[in-house]
Amino acid sequence: MAWDTTDTLGKGDVVSNESLANLLKEDRRFAPPADLAAHANVTAEAYEQAKADRLGFWAAQARRLTWATEPTETLDWSNPPFAKWFKDGRLNVAYNCVDRHVEAGHGDRVAIHFEGEPGDSRAITYAELKDEVSRAANALTELGVSAGDRVAVYLPMIPEAVVAMLACARIGAAHSVVFGGFSADAIAARIKDADAKLVITADGGYRRGKPSALKPAVDEALSREGTQGVAKVLVVRRTEQDVAWTEGRDLWWHDVVGKQSPEHTPEAFEAEQPLFVLYTSGTTGKPKGILHTSGGYLTQASYTHHAVFDLKPETDVYWCTADIGWVTGHSYITYGPLSNGATQVIYEGTPDTPHQGRFWEIVQKYGVTILYTAPTAIRTFMKWGDDIPAKFDLSSLRVLGSVGEPINPEAWVWYRKHIGADKCPIVDTWWQTETGAMMISPLPGVTETKPGSAQRALPGVAATVVDDEANEVPDGGGGYLVLTEPWPSMLRTIWGDDQRFIDTYWSRFEGKYFAGDGAKKDDDGDIWLLGRVDDVMLVSGHNISTTEVESALVSHPSVAEAAVVGAADETTGQAIVAFVILRGTADADDAELAGQLRNHVGTALGPIAKPKRILPVAELPKTRSGKIMRRLLRDVAENRQLGDVTTLTDSSVMDLIQTKLPAAP
Ligand code: WT7
């Protein structure tokens, strides 16, 4: 059933002229734990240092790395927006992530605790990782890959994914990791655009209790036009399922890598040597190959991992639950943690296999101290119930991170209470594939946190909110998030398309990087992210953020998840349509609940933000990285033919939603 209400604005409702972006009040505050603050890696002084001398600050962070030739020039911005950071410095990224820790006497430290979905596990020390990366680097060289080439990586979440990335970095080849859930079409498009010479894949990986094949998609991709540049396919054996074999092209990883020498001398490359090309799907058009380079990228990935997670490599056990196919996996599984000598957990599978407590079982088993995950996962855990994490010992945890989309205040508070024992600071980290590393985030030993806000640009980062005319908005105002100074881990261009790089990011506001996100500043000047600007709704001339209406809905006890869209409306321009997943006990046929939810949003945000229609659904359409695809929900709300559903995790979700709905009025 669906609830419809045509009286979004009752006669007596007063619409204030003040921007609605400011009406959601969140007064809860959480001070950093005293012991963490007392021993924090980074204190408030860092903001002062960076403010006094931003480039000097980044030059100092670059010295956390080991350079073969120390850079003398920090930033060359003579040809904006094409930046060169540390351009006369030379380094080897893989040496920084592996060898130097072994040389410093930490060879016996575990780098990776691998937990396979079926329950198999492996601990890999830094000394072992060095040998394996060296063997893989020797193998790539033997197969004809050299500095400047591209290698496509299509692997499950197994240690070889990290080894493959580091082996490329070690020989100066750029990797292009393609998420293991993507189709042959997506692989072919990326191989073609990046002109990859070699593909590293696996027979399959474990997913929801079953082996799930990967190689057939690579075989199919390589039968497509434009992929002939791929001479060899290196195949890791993981599931032992049958694979088709192309003689002369396909090679087993264990044969080719296994026989190599574990000795490999890392060559130093220029700081601007390409490190990877990672494709962002974007909402429209051809995927963009985001290019990241070496010295600046590693400087910021490493510094932010050290600062934002307060990583103590001798004692912490860090776990980022992202997939290596996303930038989060690149920066906060491979490059950030390993450059800092961290011990980390890598988990292959899904959070509900074989049971819904799997994540908490892993935290307990390895004594995880720092956990980094996404709001979509947190909302799922909320839905599954508080009793599940309560069965496990989570007392090792000390810092919790969030990334990927705005975290609703209720999810934030739940995360802190049920996972963080009401003591762990939560760091809500805003950044993008394009920014390469975190940009806006609290610091766990410094910031008094606010549920739902990423708060403040990190030291050395310049972010603000501007209006349509590029004027900075005052505290309390709303508009567009922009970055006003170059930063070390910024994308250098879109692979093969400099013009698109300029048009997409640097043309909306002169001299500023346009992130594509709506944001507001609160009265303290802290930043609140409001979702992609394409998702902002315009109701009776007022900009209303989907994120804020969703957060208001989720703060009602009957709502587990919500997705809000603006649908064309004759009287108001757009009308708010809310898709909600109800909590276990709530009744989807209870017509009164609709009224309650509308009033609840009205109280939180003002009458104009009351949804016109509230539609209870069983699931929401999400991309494979967990983001809600509002575009498809807009199609439903406006009674249109559905757009492209190929990037959905589960396209049957849309059928389910559509069959539940009556025709829109
Ligand atoms: C977009 C970038 C950052 C790595 C994973 C996603 C949204 C990301 C937050 C956050 C609010 C966030 C933004 C951004 N986003 N983190 N903490 N609060 N929004 O990388 O796929 O390139 O997506 O994700 O909309 O622009 P991505």
Side-chain angles (χ1 to χ4, degrees):
M1 85 141 265
W3 297 315
D4 269 310
T5 36
T6 39
D7 58 335
T8 299
L9 280 175
K11 278 218 179 80
D13 289 343
V14 179
V15 178
S16 105
N17 282 329
E18 176 186 338
S19 163
L20 265 162
N22 296 310
L23 294 181
L24 184 59
K25 288 273 173 276
E26 174 53 70
D27 295 324
R28 290 167 285 191
R29 299 287 179 271
F30 299 89
D35 51 336
L36 198 156
H39 303 106
N41 286 353
V42 174
T43 63
E45 220 191 312
Y47 292 109
E48 298 308 315
Q49 287 167 352
K51 203 173 157 201
D53 179 7
R54 194 175 60 87
L55 294 181
F57 171 83
W58 283 120
Q61 303 323 318
R63 287 193 289 274
R64 297 182 63 254
L65 305 178
T66 305
W67 297 78
T69 310
E70 292 259 346
T72 62
E73 183 177 352
T74 301
L75 171 65
D76 174 354
W77 191 234
S78 58
N79 179 30
F82 300 95
K84 292 193 166 103
W85 282 85
F86 312 115
K87 82 174 178 200
D88 61 347
R90 297 180 75 85
L91 81 172
N92 186 287
V93 169
Y95 171 86
N96 273 278
C97 293
V98 185
D99 307 45
R100 67 171 178 153
H101 308 310
V102 179
E103 287 170 15
H106 307 309
D108 292 339
R109 183 187 296 162
V110 172
I112 296 171
H113 284 295
F114 171 67
E115 176 83 5
E117 198 191 71
D120 56 320
S121 63
R122 264 160 86 187
I124 301 169
T125 64
Y126 273 94
E128 289 165 344
L129 187 62
K130 173 175 179 280
D131 289 353
E132 191 65 5
V133 171
S134 298
R135 285 192 196 95
N138 283 324
L140 291 179
T141 303
E142 185 180 289
L143 296 174
V145 179
S146 42
D149 289 341
R150 265 86 45 217
V151 172
V153 175
Y154 185 69
L155 285 171
M157 282 296 291
I158 54 176
E160 284 78 2
V162 172
V163 172
M165 292 164 84
L166 291 173
C168 291
R170 197 173 182 94
I171 63 167
H175 51 74
S176 185
V177 181
V178 182
F179 173 59
F182 279 152
S183 65
D185 282 340
I187 306 170
R190 285 157 178 73
I191 286 177
K192 203 168 133 180
D193 190 76
D195 192 15
K197 212 167 174 179
L198 182 130
V199 179
I200 304 178
T201 187
D203 47 1
Y206 290 96
R207 200 92 199 134
R208 300 196 186 283
K210 293 192 296 273
S212 160
L214 286 172
K215 181 146 187 305
V218 172
D219 291 335
E220 197 185 326
L222 293 182
S223 70
R224 304 279 163 84
E225 199 60 44
T227 59
Q228 296 84 343
V230 174
K232 301 283 175 200
V233 178
L234 208 44
V235 188
V236 178
R237 188 146 75 198
R238 166 70 182 140
T239 55
E240 309 199 5
Q241 56 204 129
D242 287 337
V243 287
W245 208 251
T246 302
E247 286 304 330
R249 185 195 73 183
D250 298 349
L251 301 157
W252 284 112
W253 169 284
H254 57 263
D255 286 341
V256 182
V257 175
K259 69 170 193 214
Q260 303 291 330
S261 156
E263 299 298 326
H264 180 274
T265 309
E267 184 187 335
F269 297 100
E270 288 181 4
E272 287 296 338
Q273 178 80 8
L275 181 63
F276 64 86
V277 179
L278 183 61
Y279 288 83
T280 61
S281 45
T283 39
T284 49
K286 160 172 169 232
K288 301 189 281 276
I290 304 301
L291 173 68
H292 284 288
T293 59
S294 301
Y297 169 80
L298 194 63
T299 295
Q300 194 170 337
S302 188
Y303 172 70
T304 51
H305 182 261
H306 159 86
V308 172
F309 293 126
D310 190 45
L311 178 91
K312 306 287 195 279
E314 303 79 18
T315 47
D316 275 317
V317 178
Y318 165 84
W319 181 24
C320 166
T321 68
D323 191 280
I324 214 89
W326 313 123
V327 74
T328 309
H330 284 56
S331 303
Y332 298 104
I333 293 177
T334 301
Y335 295 110
L338 295 178
S339 66
N340 288 329
T343 293
Q344 71 177 315
V345 172
I346 291 183
Y347 171 56
E348 179 183 30
T350 49
D352 53 354
T353 306
H355 57 78
Q356 294 179 335
R358 186 69 190 267
F359 270 27
W360 318 122
E361 188 178 72
I362 292 173
V363 168
Q364 175 179 292
K365 175 174 174 184
Y366 295 103
V368 172
T369 59
I370 304 168
L371 178 69
Y372 193 27
T373 194
T376 178
I378 297 165
R379 288 191 304 262
T380 304
F381 299 138
M382 285 173 78
K383 225 174 348 187
W384 289 346
D386 310 347
D387 52 316
I388 295 174
K391 288 186 205 126
F392 298 89
D393 178 3
L394 307 181
S395 61
S396 54
L397 289 168
R398 64 180 200 95
V399 178
L400 302 176
S402 173
V403 63
E405 49 176 340
I407 178 166
N408 319 103
E410 284 322 303
W412 192 104
V413 169
W414 185 92
Y415 192 27
R416 179 176 161 103
K417 181 164 174 214
H418 294 282
I419 307 304
D422 245 329
K423 69 172 181 29
C424 299
I426 294 182
V427 286
D428 173 9
T429 62
W430 179 89
W431 57 293
Q432 309 176 297
T433 306
E434 292 87 341
T435 69
M438 296 168 185
M439 301 294 281
I440 306 176
S441 170
L443 287 174
V446 179
T447 315
E448 179 176 81
T449 52
K450 302 176 177 178
S453 175
Q455 295 188 272
R456 189 170 171 191
L458 287 168
V461 170
T464 190
V465 181
V466 297
D467 64 19
D468 262 312
E469 274 76 52
N471 304 309
E472 201 164 332
V473 304
D475 288 352
Y480 307 94
L481 183 74
V482 292
L483 304 170
T484 53
E485 297 287 351
W487 61 100
S489 63
M490 64 196 282
L491 76 165
R492 296 304 193 258
T493 189
I494 292 175
W495 184 256
D497 201 343
D498 287 348
Q499 192 55 47
R500 191 173 180 201
F501 169 60
I502 296 170
D503 293 345
T504 310
Y505 306 107
W506 300 94
S507 300
R508 179 73 176 78
F509 302 110
E510 168 94 49
K512 297 182 174 76
Y513 173 90
F514 172 55
D517 283 353
K520 68 177 185 186
K521 282 191 203 166
D522 66 16
D523 294 336
D524 304 323
D526 281 329
I527 295 175
W528 295 69
L529 277 311
L530 301 173
R532 302 295 297 167
V533 290
D534 318 335
D535 290 336
V536 169
M537 303 170 291
L538 193 63
V539 181
S540 303
H542 293 262
N543 280 314
I544 302 182
S545 140
T546 49
T547 299
E548 288 194 304
V549 180
E550 287 162 9
S551 288
L553 285 165
V554 172
S555 73
H556 189 280
S558 297
V559 178
E561 264 204 270
V564 163
V565 299
D569 185 275
E570 278 179 10
T571 33
T572 54
Q574 281 188 316
I576 302 176
V577 179
F579 295 80
V580 295
I581 302 182
L582 297 176
R583 280 184 185 279
T585 50
D587 176 6
D589 291 321
D590 174 1
E592 256 179 43
L593 185 55
Q596 280 173 24
L597 294 182
R598 296 181 63 251
N599 289 335
H600 183 75
V601 174
T603 309
L605 294 170
I608 200 173
K610 286 184 183 175
K612 182 168 184 181
R613 304 174 73 198
I614 293 191
L615 307 166
V617 292
E619 282 298 339
L620 291 170
K622 294 199 181 139
T623 64
R624 289 166 200 270
S625 60
K627 292 188 196 202
I628 296 168
M629 286 191 79
R630 292 184 188 74
R631 168 171 68 75
L632 295 175
L633 294 174
R634 239 176 349 249
D635 291 344
V636 172
E638 295 182 341
N639 264 341
R640 247 198 323 271
Q641 180 87 34
L642 283 192
D644 182 18
V645 295
T646 52
T647 56
L648 281 183
T649 357
D650 177 2
S651 54
S652 67
V653 166
M654 287 315 295
D655 304 337
L656 210 64
I657 291 176
Q658 283 183 309
T659 55
K660 285 283 240 56
L661 298 184

